[in-house]
Amino acid sequence: MLEDKNQERTALEQLGEFGLIDHLTQHISLTQKSTVRGIGDDAAVLDFNNKKTIVTTDLLIEGVHFDLSYMPLKHLGYKAVMANLSDVYAMNATATQITVGLAVSNRFPLEALEELYAGIGLACKVFNVDLIGGDTTSSTTGMLISITALGEADEANIVYRDGAKPNDLLVVSGDVGGAYMGLQVLEREKAVFKVNPNTQPDLSPYSYIVERQLKPEARKDIVELLKKLEVKPTAMIDISDGLSSEILHLCKSSKVGCNLFEDKIPLDPTVISACEEFKIDSTLVALSGGEDYELLFTVAQDDFEKIKGNPNMTVIGHMTEESEGAHLVTRGNAKIPLTAQGWNSFEKE
Ligand code: ADP
Ligand code: MG
């Protein structure tokens, strides 16, 4: 539905592999001090001085992780970078470079890859990271994107998943569930479009959640804010799969339990109204819907005064002894065990 038939379509074989790489990367500029050499040699050269280096990779496959019938390629490029930077920020580190591995079939013209790179380039610019290399190859089916992000941090500032202690506060940035509900809206419009290709969907009431799905923003600002507030989280993770499974990761790594309070979970009003419309429980969406790329972290009780009332973060619970387990405390004050899928509705205590 996003394809414009009047657009130019330059076949990739006209450029060849090296012509394509040159074309896609011709406007790349380097700004990071740690980048000694970027694209153009056999490998990039980096110098992080006395800092620790952070590395993370994500692989995205068409039909599994993204659907190009409603995902514009520019957004896909941007989002693919966000997913990676989010992992670097979850270490409380600064993202500095990315590499991009790309496999495409001849179904994609040059113009499509230009769009993809426009999104990748924009993300690099906004988040101040250098694109320093990659690999390009053909695929027999769809598109594959693998991005590796690098970052730096002083050893003392790195936050792992395993540092949470009983009584630490559990905090989440922004709000959750939006990306999942945005996906529900897009999937519905896609189904409507299949039946009647002449319909023009009005997505304006859903703009917030559709944007959460198509153009998520990694929370670099939260890492900077925590630094400014002089709060070092005891443990941190980014929310790619859903609040519930990320909480369980923190609990397992840190060997603690947790009480998550249902009435504290931050939900945007658009998420609540979309949940009503789709007849889905908003707590289930918050716990199980993924791709919000918010940060979930724990802080010592002593730091409460520093984060209290900050509109960018919400205290949603606290950690407990491991033996107490991980629970959702409902609005009705029932304690229900958390599971990776949300919660176990059959097992009430
Ligand atoms: P090699 O044959 O050594 O793998 P390539 O010819 O694949 O080198 O790549 C040449 C240069 O272009 C390298 O610096 C590589 O990192 C970079 N590069 C290749 N593909 C991409 C891409 N999709 N995005 C950004 N840089 C790329
Ligand atoms: Mg190569």
Side-chain angles (χ1 to χ4, degrees):
M1 77 177 99
L2 293 156
E3 218 157 275
D4 180 354
K5 294 203 176 61
N6 298 320
Q7 258 175 14
E8 260 185 86
R9 291 177 62 88
T10 309
L12 293 181
E13 52 262 37
Q14 271 175 252
L15 294 106
E17 183 190 333
F18 302 118
L20 174 63
I21 296 169
D22 285 346
H23 185 86
L24 291 178
T25 60
Q26 58 187 330
H27 300 301
I28 301 300
S29 59
L30 302 175
T31 58
Q32 286 291 339
K33 216 169 64 198
S34 49
T35 310
V36 177
R37 177 65 60 91
I39 293 170
D41 216 306
D42 294 306
V45 179
L46 307 176
D47 180 0
F48 287 102
N49 262 312
N50 47 2
K51 302 247 182 174
K52 291 283 174 269
T53 311
I54 315 301
V55 187
T56 172
T57 297
D58 268 305
L59 178 60
L60 300 174
I61 295 172
E62 184 182 354
V64 180
H65 303 100
F66 57 90
D67 182 336
L68 290 174
S69 59
Y70 51 69
M71 186 73 163
L73 279 158
K74 186 173 176 183
H75 288 76
L76 176 64
Y78 192 89
K79 183 171 175 174
V81 178
M82 285 310 114
N84 269 265
L85 299 190
S86 181
D87 282 322
V88 176
Y89 300 138
M91 302 304 291
N92 205 33
T94 305
T96 48
Q97 289 90 8
I98 60 164
T99 63
V100 176
L102 187 62
V104 278
S105 66
N106 55 16
R107 178 180 122 227
F108 295 93
L110 174 66
E111 289 72 16
L113 300 187
E114 284 175 346
E115 280 297 299
L116 180 76
Y117 265 71
I120 291 173
L122 179 64
C124 286
K125 198 168 159 212
V126 172
F127 285 78
N128 193 24
V129 303
D130 290 348
L131 174 58
I132 54 157
D135 199 24
T136 310
T137 185
S138 57
S139 127
T140 49
T141 48
M143 180 183 282
L144 250 113
I145 308 169
S146 172
I147 296 187
T148 296
L150 292 115
E152 58 179 37
D154 287 326
E155 182 162 23
N157 293 333
I158 298 177
V159 175
Y160 297 94
R161 294 179 180 182
D162 63 3
K165 298 274 177 295
N167 300 320
D168 281 355
L169 301 173
L170 181 64
V171 187
V172 68
S173 66
D175 53 68
V176 289
Y180 179 82
M181 289 317 294
L183 182 63
Q184 299 313 302
V185 169
L186 289 166
E187 294 272 8
R188 183 178 68 184
E189 295 314 322
K190 182 184 171 186
V192 171
F193 182 83
K194 267 190 186 156
V195 179
N196 183 0
N198 295 319
T199 51
Q200 269 296 335
D202 177 18
L203 294 179
S204 56
Y206 308 104
S207 56
Y208 178 72
I209 54 178
V210 167
E211 190 151 314
R212 292 286 284 170
Q213 169 59 221
L214 295 183
K215 196 172 177 290
E217 303 285 352
R219 300 309 303 260
K220 180 188 187 196
D221 60 325
I222 296 293
V223 174
E224 291 165 353
L225 178 63
L226 289 169
K227 194 171 178 190
K228 205 177 93 198
L229 296 172
E230 294 177 10
V231 174
K232 185 190 172 194
T234 51
M236 185 149 65
I237 190 168
D238 75 320
I239 305 184
S240 47
D241 291 340
L243 196 51
S244 188
S245 99
E246 313 302 1
I247 289 175
L248 291 175
H249 281 307
L250 287 184
C251 287
K252 192 173 174 212
S253 296
S254 298
K255 299 191 170 58
V256 291
C258 153
N259 285 324
L260 165 69
F261 294 94
E262 184 180 22
D263 62 347
K264 301 281 190 244
I265 299 173
L267 300 171
D268 187 85
T270 326
V271 172
I272 296 171
S273 57
C275 284
E276 280 166 7
E277 190 182 332
F278 281 80
K279 300 192 166 53
I280 316 178
D281 185 278
S282 59
T283 301
L284 183 63
V285 167
L287 292 180
S288 310
E291 299 194 298
D292 288 314
Y293 300 111
E294 294 295 341
L295 291 174
L296 176 73
F297 52 96
T298 54
V299 300
Q301 292 258 0
D302 290 347
D303 284 331
F304 179 62
E305 287 300 321
K306 297 186 199 162
I307 62 164
K308 190 174 75 177
N310 194 300
N312 296 292
M313 43 186 91
T314 310
V315 177
I316 54 173
H318 60 84
M319 312 321 272
T320 61
E321 294 295 335
E322 185 177 27
S323 56
E324 291 180 43
H327 291 92
L328 173 74
V329 181
T330 68
R331 289 191 186 85
N333 222 17
K335 256 181 121 179
I336 303 173
L338 281 177
T339 69
Q341 287 75 41
W343 69 83
N344 189 343
S345 52
F346 299 107
E347 197 182 330
K348 291 205 176 180
E349 284 188 347

